[in-house]
Amino acid sequence: MITLSISSSREITIQELAQFFANRHLKANITATTSSVPCVDDPDQHRVEQGFTLLIFDIDGPTFKQVVWEPLQKLLNLSCAFVKYRQDYMGCVLNWPGVFVESQCPGKTTKIEM
């Protein structure tokens, strides 16, 4: 399972996101979220943003990149997202080792220790 947390300035409904996954024959669970996140230009300040947590089932990393991330990134004009992949990786989707090219994301990557 892949957990992907996204937010976008483009408006989209849960139903439209569910249809995005249905069109790709993928099982997914979608939850609307409201988060407090640091401002890009002033990390000491925070703002509220709307988004979604996506649980995507029965998919591996390389397939995720091609079938989910790239089309979703274009659809919602996403520059980054938070991803958790099994017990192997948690952090910026652009830093995901073995799936994406060298990251331009300034955030940290985290290997999950159990």
Side-chain angles (χ1 to χ4, degrees):
M1 178 175 69
I2 295 173
T3 302
L4 185 68
S5 298
I6 63 171
S7 62
S8 174
S9 59
R10 292 199 179 162
E11 301 248 346
I12 191 166
T13 66
I14 288 178
Q15 182 66 32
E16 290 168 318
L17 275 176
Q19 190 62 56
F20 171 90
F21 287 99
N23 291 346
R24 287 159 178 77
H25 308 285
L26 294 170
K27 292 184 268 181
N29 181 292
I30 302 159
T31 305
T33 61
T34 303
S35 304
S36 171
V37 297
C39 295
V40 175
D41 52 344
D42 185 357
D44 291 332
Q45 299 297 316
H46 284 66
R47 63 183 169 79
V48 174
E49 72 179 20
Q50 305 299 312
F52 299 93
T53 297
L54 312 170
L55 302 179
I56 308 159
F57 303 93
D58 302 326
I59 190 168
D60 64 11
T63 303
F64 165 81
K65 179 182 178 186
Q66 181 181 17
V67 175
V68 176
W69 175 252
E70 290 174 353
L72 196 61
Q73 185 181 31
K74 289 177 186 165
L75 175 68
L76 297 176
N77 195 28
L78 301 172
S79 59
C80 191
F82 181 85
V83 67
K84 180 179 177 192
Y85 179 60
R86 300 179 183 159
Q87 299 301 317
D88 299 329
Y89 178 78
M90 180 173 66
C92 176
V93 70
L94 302 177
N95 287 338
W96 190 349
V99 177
F100 291 88
V101 297
E102 186 175 334
S103 174
Q104 297 179 27
C105 180
K108 294 181 179 179
T109 62
T110 304
K111 172 108 173 130
I112 301 173
E113 299 294 333
M114 296 306 280

